[in-house]
């Protein structure tokens, strides 16, 4: 047993050496990769002054990047970049400045703008779920579904039954659920899906030891593609709370969209890349990517964003859209925690005379996030932006409109989690008619909302201001 005695003598020195090595490696990573000087300084202090725990916290919460093997699916024939003169506007001169926005996004993303699309808004699960279930029931060849939350409730089981029936008909079905989102209900819906013969996978299962550096990452994308021809995407999860006519215990308003036309291929490619990363199975060929023809007049493009090769592409798109705005910016989002660059861009737009309306829920499903958001409202109110609070039920809708012509919708919120940590999927659209339709949605919400004034924010009690300010410190991780 002498070797144990020797080991016990050297163990403190080994532990100290390991701790020093961890501190040095973590500090080096911070210095080389953190762009924000304030964040880098805070992490360096945490790493050096909180032994062992500091480097571990940085590994879990500070790295937040993942390398993904991109799948080369080729360039499909439907991918034809429209000329800058054709942005879906009968009078192109009315949207001349938006050509610059299109040019910026062209340089940010690989996907081109495609024309000939038709997009239909679906309000709440009352409209979206029946349409999605009908599409699944009519599927003949393939179904791909990705979602953040897929609850094992009344609505979730209807989807599980429909997907299981499709498998029985010989349809190829692939379902991808975020590992964290799959735990929102118990037992998880993945069990029900597997029991029905559905091929299902979880994105970044965080309990695996080698996944510790990605434990804070989420796949927040939502899409359903049927036969590679018809798609549904937006911000809606699969849970019964979205079906308001059934008066659920926790009702949630939301927007989803029915998509037809060549842009569906881009939605399928986004799913195929996520699926290949998760399972190593490559989905390709006519079964998943049929030739598509024009189905409408809308010009659109899919924007994928995430802590990988797509890092901050959505953030840059938002900054470009705010910079090009000339008359109006309308933002509908459930969570509003913009970083300093976005705050400055919003304020500059307002100072240039652009009408900026930010529509938020009066009562959040996450009180801590609401407190952090409220601590930031003064930053946009003081420069002339307008903040509106909509009454319950909680509104989870996500929408942005610029100058009554450019529309952005999808899964991303206006917060650091969506813009830096999550894998998100959004669609940008150019077209007056569709923008007018979406403006009616936001105008209707503003009509029933209450405007927040600077005096109201300033009048909060001192304890409430402290609570909100404390919550704001955690905004990069909410």
């Amino acid at each position: 047993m002498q070797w144990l005695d020797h080991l016990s003598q050297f163990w403190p020195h080994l532990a100290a050496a390991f701790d020093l090595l961890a501190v040095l490696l973590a500090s080096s990573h911070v210095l080389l990769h953190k762009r924000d000087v304030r964040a880098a300084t805070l992490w360096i202090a945490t790493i050096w002054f909180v032994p062992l725990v500091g480097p571990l916290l940085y590994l879990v919460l500070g790295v937040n990047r993942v390398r993904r093997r991109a799948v080369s699916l080729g360039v499909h024939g439907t991918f034809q970049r429209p000329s800058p003169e054709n942005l879906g506007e009968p009078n192109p001169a009315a949207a001349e400045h938006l050509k610059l926005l299109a040019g910026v996004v062209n340089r940010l993303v690989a996907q081109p703008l495609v024309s000939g699309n038709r997009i239909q808004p679906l309000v709440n699960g009352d409209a979206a779920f029946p349409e999605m279930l009908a599409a699944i029931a009519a599927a003949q060849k393939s179904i791909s579904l990705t979602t953040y939350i897929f609850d094992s409730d009344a609505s979730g089981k209807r989807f599980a039954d429909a997907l299981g029936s499709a498998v029985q008909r010989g349809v190829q079905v692939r379902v991808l659920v975020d590992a964290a989102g799959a735990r929102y209900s118990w037992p998880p819906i993945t069990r029900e899906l597997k029991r029905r013969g559905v091929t299902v996978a979880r994105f970044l299962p965080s309990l695996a030891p080698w996944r510790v550096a990605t434990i804070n990452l989420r796949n927040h994308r939502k899409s359903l593609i049927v036969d590679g021809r018809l798609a549904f995407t937006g911000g809606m999860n699969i849970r019964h709370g979205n079906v308001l006519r059934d008066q659920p215990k926790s009702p949630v308003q939301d927007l989803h969209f029915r998509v037809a036309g060549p842009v569906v291929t881009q939605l399928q490619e986004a799913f195929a890349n996520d699926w290949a990363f998760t399972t190593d199975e490559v989905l390709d060929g006519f079964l998943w990517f049929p030739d598509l023809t024009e189905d409408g007049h809308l010009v659109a493009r899919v924007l994928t964003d995430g802590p990988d090769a797509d890092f901050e592409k959505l953030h840059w798109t938002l900054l470009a859209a705010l910079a090009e705005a000339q008359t109006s910016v309308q933002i509908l989002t459930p969570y509003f925690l913009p970083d300093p660059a976005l705050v400055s861009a919003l304020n500059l737009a307002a100072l240039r005379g652009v009408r900026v309306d930010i529509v938020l829920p009066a009562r959040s499903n996450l009180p801590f996030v609401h407190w952090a958001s409220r601590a930031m409202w003064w930053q946009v109110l003081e420069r002339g932006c307008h903040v509106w609070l909509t009454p319950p039920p909680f509104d989870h809708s996500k929408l942005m409109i610029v100058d009554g012509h450019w529309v952005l919708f999808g899964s991303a919120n206006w917060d650091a989690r969506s813009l830096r940590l999550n894998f998100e999927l959004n669609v940008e659209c150019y077209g007056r008619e569709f923008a007018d339709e979406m403006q009616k949605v936001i105008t209707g919400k503003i009509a029933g909302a209450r405007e927040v004034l600077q005096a109201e924010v300033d009048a909060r009690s001192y304890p409430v201001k402290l609570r909100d300010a404390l919550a704001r410190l955690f905004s990069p991780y909410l």
Side-chain angles (χ1 to χ4, degrees), residues 326-403:
Q326 291 186 355
T327 58
S328 64
V329 172
Q330 296 164 304
I331 298 165
L332 175 64
T333 180
Y335 312 116
F336 183 69
L337 293 164
D339 65 10
L342 286 172
V343 170
S344 296
L346 288 165
N347 287 335
L348 280 170
L351 289 170
R352 288 189 288 108
V354 176
R355 169 81 186 200
V356 178
D357 290 297
I358 303 163
V359 185
L360 313 173
R363 183 178 301 170
S364 177
N365 65 331
L366 302 172
F368 197 77
V369 176
H370 183 73
W371 300 340
S373 178
R374 188 166 52 183
M376 303 181 68
W377 293 350
W378 67 270
Q379 297 183 38
V380 293
L381 288 173
E382 70 172 357
R383 300 301 181 190
C385 297
H386 300 266
V387 176
W388 303 86
L389 301 181
T390 58
F394 172 65
D395 197 340
H396 191 251
S397 307
K398 312 158 204 298
L399 191 63
M400 181 180 179
I401 307 170
V402 172
D403 292 351

Side-chain angles (χ1 to χ4, degrees), residues 117-428:
N117 303 289
R118 183 184 303 277
I119 300 180
Q120 172 192 356
L122 302 170
V123 180
N124 301 327
D126 305 73
F129 289 171
E131 289 255 5
M132 296 167 71
L133 290 168
I136 292 172
Q140 297 179 357
K141 294 182 176 64
S142 65
I143 297 171
S144 57
L145 170 65
T146 184
T147 185
Y148 175 56
I149 299 174
F150 194 153
D151 272 351
S152 184
D153 56 15
S155 289
K157 289 176 181 177
R158 289 191 190 106
F159 274 88
D161 288 339
L163 293 166
S165 296
V167 171
Q168 294 300 313
R169 298 195 309 272
V171 177
Q172 291 293 311
V173 179
R174 302 291 186 273
V175 176
L176 182 62
V177 184
D178 182 76
R183 294 193 292 268
Y184 272 67
S185 62
W186 190 264
I189 196 66
T190 50
R191 294 184 184 179
E192 294 285 337
L193 292 168
K194 290 177 181 177
R195 189 169 62 82
R196 290 164 171 79
V198 177
T199 303
V200 59
R202 291 184 302 144
F203 188 88
L204 288 181
S206 56
L207 297 180
W210 56 89
R211 294 288 194 190
V212 65
T214 61
I215 197 171
N216 200 32
L217 306 181
R218 308 281 185 269
N219 190 330
H220 200 235
R221 297 168 181 170
K222 292 101 175 173
S223 68
L224 167 67
I225 302 105
V226 175
D227 292 335
R229 298 183 179 276
L230 176 64
F232 299 84
T233 191
M236 197 176 302
N237 293 296
I238 299 177
R239 55 191 336 187
H240 200 60
N242 292 117
V243 184
L244 300 190
R245 66 168 174 267
D246 288 350
Q247 299 181 334
K249 182 179 179 181
S250 301
V252 177
Q253 301 180 71
D254 215 330
L255 272 177
H256 223 53
F257 296 83
R258 182 184 188 274
V259 182
V263 78
V264 171
T265 299
Q266 296 185 6
L267 290 166
Q268 188 75 293
E269 286 203 335
F271 176 86
N273 275 289
D274 287 346
W275 184 258
F277 169 72
T278 305
T279 69
D280 287 328
E281 180 188 13
V282 176
L283 306 178
D284 202 1
F286 192 78
L287 182 71
W288 302 97
F289 294 95
D291 294 330
L292 299 181
T293 57
E294 293 190 355
D295 196 83
H297 304 287
L298 195 59
V299 176
R301 160 170 44 205
V302 170
L303 303 176
T304 54
D305 188 80
D308 56 357
D310 292 331
F311 189 55
E312 289 195 326
K313 289 182 178 179
L314 179 59
H315 187 261
W316 282 105
T317 299
L318 295 177
L319 290 173
L322 292 170
E324 295 300 333
Q326 291 186 355
T327 58
S328 64
V329 172
Q330 296 164 304
I331 298 165
L332 175 64
T333 180
Y335 312 116
F336 183 69
L337 293 164
D339 65 10
L342 286 172
V343 170
S344 296
L346 288 165
N347 287 335
L348 280 170
L351 289 170
R352 288 189 288 108
V354 176
R355 169 81 186 200
V356 178
D357 290 297
I358 303 163
V359 185
L360 313 173
R363 183 178 301 170
S364 177
N365 65 331
L366 302 172
F368 197 77
V369 176
H370 183 73
W371 300 340
S373 178
R374 188 166 52 183
M376 303 181 68
W377 293 350
W378 67 270
Q379 297 183 38
V380 293
L381 288 173
E382 70 172 357
R383 300 301 181 190
C385 297
H386 300 266
V387 176
W388 303 86
L389 301 181
T390 58
F394 172 65
D395 197 340
H396 191 251
S397 307
K398 312 158 204 298
L399 191 63
M400 181 180 179
I401 307 170
V402 172
D403 292 351
H405 190 103
W406 183 81
V407 177
L408 180 74
F409 67 83
S411 64
N413 303 306
W414 279 63
D415 59 15
R417 172 157 291 283
S418 276
L419 298 177
R420 295 185 64 85
L421 300 177
N422 288 347
F423 294 90
E424 303 282 2
L425 187 148
N426 290 266
V427 179
E428 66 160 346

Side-chain angles (χ1 to χ4, degrees), residues 70-120:
V71 178
S72 177
L73 297 173
V75 179
H76 296 271
T78 54
F79 282 3
Q80 296 177 354
R81 189 185 301 272
S83 66
E85 288 73 29
N86 178 17
L87 293 178
E89 167 63 43
N91 178 15
E96 187 77 19
H97 62 292
L98 292 178
K99 297 175 189 176
L100 297 175
L101 172 58
V104 170
V105 185
N106 283 344
R107 293 177 178 89
L108 286 173
V109 304
Q111 301 284 39
L113 282 167
V114 288
S115 57
N117 303 289
R118 183 184 303 277
I119 300 180
Q120 172 192 356

Side-chain angles (χ1 to χ4, degrees), residues 419-459:
L419 298 177
R420 295 185 64 85
L421 300 177
N422 288 347
F423 294 90
E424 303 282 2
L425 187 148
N426 290 266
V427 179
E428 66 160 346
C429 308
Y430 295 81
R432 181 74 65 187
E433 184 177 345
F434 182 63
D436 286 344
E437 189 176 5
M438 293 298 94
Q439 278 189 312
K440 291 176 183 177
V441 172
I442 292 185
T443 301
K445 291 180 182 294
I446 289 177
R450 176 178 65 83
E451 185 170 8
V452 178
L453 301 178
Q454 180 77 53
E456 175 187 341
V457 175
D458 294 340

